[in-house]
Amino acid sequence: MSWKTLDDMDLNGKRVLVRVDINVPVVDGVVTDSTRIQRIVPTVRDILSAGGKPILLAHFGRPGGERRENLSLKQLVPTLESAFGAQVLFAADCVGTEAELAAENLQPGQVLLLENTRFHAAETKNDPELAAGMAKLGEIYCNDAFSAAHRAHSSTEAIARLLPACAGRLMQAELEALEGALSAPKRPVTAVVGGAKVSTKLELLGNLITKVDYLVIGGGMANTFLVAKGLNVGKSLAERVMKGTAAEILAKAEIAGCTIVLPTDIVVADKFESHAPHQVLPADQCTDDGMILDAGPESVAAITEVFAQSRTLIWNGPLGAFEIEPFDTATNAAALKAAALTRSGQLISVAGGGDTVAALNASGAAKDFSYISTAGGAFLEWMEGKTLPGVAALEE
Ligand code: 3PG
Ligand code: MG
């Protein structure tokens, strides 16, 4: 690996601009999963104990270049303070006079959090001027946001060229773990790709089929494939306009020798609601007003059989509507099987993505996985072998 780490930098007395990903789920002002915050603690602590002054740069949600109070990073200050065990000051913009003064006056032992970088439309355009405004605030740039490294944005890419740059502890850990497990994986390799975001992952699926032996497709995405196979999915979440693309992926997989595993039985409910009345049906018998909310028991048996034959498992996305009971059944059962196979040394299991990690935590499977990544999209793009702009910029 050809990038510098914090160990290569002289941090004493220096203002260190740290790009973190604290894009955590918040419900009614309460952080519901602080995993991403916990995982940046080593970086912040190491900078502080080396006498450096951490200045955190981060995005939050997708405000689209507008200042939106509900997407202000200010609400995370208490959670950050308790995670770091340090005082966290806040500047209401990530560039400009207020931020510059706050950075200048930062005292050893304190952390400065800058407002959501995406309040500037220029951020997502990788604008060099915005990056220069940010770079003015620090003397060293440290990127610890592996999970945002697939974005070429001012705070992840352009800025890395303007200051001496290095990878943070989490960035380092993510790259080392993924490289270790997946650069020359033990075969057979199985990927599980699920979740609701269909169109964003179809391209990834197209690439994965050339790399993995089995591809298990779950969640709303599976419904799009069922449509491509000419099946009725009733009122289920599905991107019907993508059915041509899905059909192409099925054909390409066959040529590539990748076995695609789709549900053969489905859990069909009347509505998207926890404990909604539901029945298990063969995959070709969804009712016209039914919604497929999970894979059925026969599908789970087939998936766990694939796991048992695999040596490496990569998991991104739940198999069903895991957030409402009992439609988390397939996800939990498959996750627990993967955990057991990992425990007994038969499987290397790597999972990533906010929903996935939440589901694996809920089932108790996460602790037995070989590695849990904080990244979703970046994790998938890394798996595909794509260059992540945030990582590439550190290498230059
Ligand atoms: C994420 O939550 O996946 C990362 O923070 C990246 O966010 P984005 O998908 O809005 O770029
Ligand atoms: Mg995302």
Side-chain angles (χ1 to χ4, degrees), residues 23 62 150-151 197 377:
N23 196 21
R62 294 178 176 173
H150 57 320
R151 310 292 182 207
K197 283 193 207 164

PDB file of all heavy atoms in Angstrom, residues 23 62 150-151 197 377, ligand 2:
ATOM      1  N   ASN A  23     -21.892  10.009   8.726  1.00  0.00           N
ATOM      2  CA  ASN A  23     -23.233   9.985   8.139  1.00  0.00           C
ATOM      3  C   ASN A  23     -23.993   8.837   8.818  1.00  0.00           C
ATOM      4  O   ASN A  23     -24.173   7.773   8.248  1.00  0.00           O
ATOM      5  CB  ASN A  23     -23.081   9.749   6.637  1.00  0.00           C
ATOM      6  CG  ASN A  23     -24.348  10.073   5.866  1.00  0.00           C
ATOM      7  OD1 ASN A  23     -25.208  10.815   6.336  1.00  0.00           O
ATOM      8  ND2 ASN A  23     -24.481   9.496   4.687  1.00  0.00           N
ATOM      9  N   ARG A  62     -27.925  14.222   2.159  1.00  0.00           N
ATOM     10  CA  ARG A  62     -27.767  14.774   0.810  1.00  0.00           C
ATOM     11  C   ARG A  62     -28.538  16.078   0.682  1.00  0.00           C
ATOM     12  O   ARG A  62     -29.583  16.140   0.029  1.00  0.00           O
ATOM     13  CB  ARG A  62     -28.245  13.759  -0.223  1.00  0.00           C
ATOM     14  CG  ARG A  62     -27.366  12.516  -0.267  1.00  0.00           C
ATOM     15  CD  ARG A  62     -27.866  11.508  -1.257  1.00  0.00           C
ATOM     16  NE  ARG A  62     -26.948  10.367  -1.336  1.00  0.00           N
ATOM     17  CZ  ARG A  62     -27.188   9.266  -2.024  1.00  0.00           C
ATOM     18  NH1 ARG A  62     -28.311   9.145  -2.712  1.00  0.00           N
ATOM     19  NH2 ARG A  62     -26.320   8.269  -2.039  1.00  0.00           N
ATOM     20  N   HIS A 150     -15.583   6.580  -2.409  1.00  0.00           N
ATOM     21  CA  HIS A 150     -16.023   6.373  -3.798  1.00  0.00           C
ATOM     22  C   HIS A 150     -16.558   7.670  -4.394  1.00  0.00           C
ATOM     23  O   HIS A 150     -16.939   7.702  -5.560  1.00  0.00           O
ATOM     24  CB  HIS A 150     -17.066   5.258  -3.885  1.00  0.00           C
ATOM     25  CG  HIS A 150     -18.307   5.458  -3.044  1.00  0.00           C
ATOM     26  ND1 HIS A 150     -18.272   5.975  -1.771  1.00  0.00           N
ATOM     27  CD2 HIS A 150     -19.610   5.213  -3.303  1.00  0.00           C
ATOM     28  CE1 HIS A 150     -19.492   6.024  -1.286  1.00  0.00           C
ATOM     29  NE2 HIS A 150     -20.331   5.578  -2.196  1.00  0.00           N
ATOM     30  N   ARG A 151     -16.592   8.726  -3.602  1.00  0.00           N
ATOM     31  CA  ARG A 151     -17.026  10.032  -4.095  1.00  0.00           C
ATOM     32  C   ARG A 151     -15.798  10.895  -4.377  1.00  0.00           C
ATOM     33  O   ARG A 151     -14.948  11.044  -3.494  1.00  0.00           O
ATOM     34  CB  ARG A 151     -17.906  10.740  -3.054  1.00  0.00           C
ATOM     35  CG  ARG A 151     -19.045   9.898  -2.495  1.00  0.00           C
ATOM     36  CD  ARG A 151     -20.079   9.614  -3.538  1.00  0.00           C
ATOM     37  NE  ARG A 151     -21.195   8.837  -3.007  1.00  0.00           N
ATOM     38  CZ  ARG A 151     -21.938   8.026  -3.758  1.00  0.00           C
ATOM     39  NH1 ARG A 151     -21.677   7.868  -5.041  1.00  0.00           N
ATOM     40  NH2 ARG A 151     -22.947   7.370  -3.226  1.00  0.00           N
ATOM     41  N   LYS A 197     -32.373  -0.329  -2.821  1.00  0.00           N
ATOM     42  CA  LYS A 197     -31.815   0.535  -3.867  1.00  0.00           C
ATOM     43  C   LYS A 197     -31.418  -0.316  -5.057  1.00  0.00           C
ATOM     44  O   LYS A 197     -30.306  -0.831  -5.130  1.00  0.00           O
ATOM     45  CB  LYS A 197     -30.574   1.265  -3.343  1.00  0.00           C
ATOM     46  CG  LYS A 197     -30.843   2.438  -2.429  1.00  0.00           C
ATOM     47  CD  LYS A 197     -29.536   3.220  -2.266  1.00  0.00           C
ATOM     48  CE  LYS A 197     -29.492   3.967  -0.939  1.00  0.00           C
ATOM     49  NZ  LYS A 197     -28.132   4.395  -0.599  1.00  0.00           N
ATOM     50  N   GLY A 377     -21.634   1.767  -0.379  1.00  0.00           N
ATOM     51  CA  GLY A 377     -21.298   1.948  -1.794  1.00  0.00           C
ATOM     52  C   GLY A 377     -19.807   1.798  -2.060  1.00  0.00           C
ATOM     53  O   GLY A 377     -19.402   1.157  -3.034  1.00  0.00           O
TER      54      GLY A 377
HETATM   55 MG    MG B   2     -24.711   5.597   0.299  1.00  0.00          MG
END
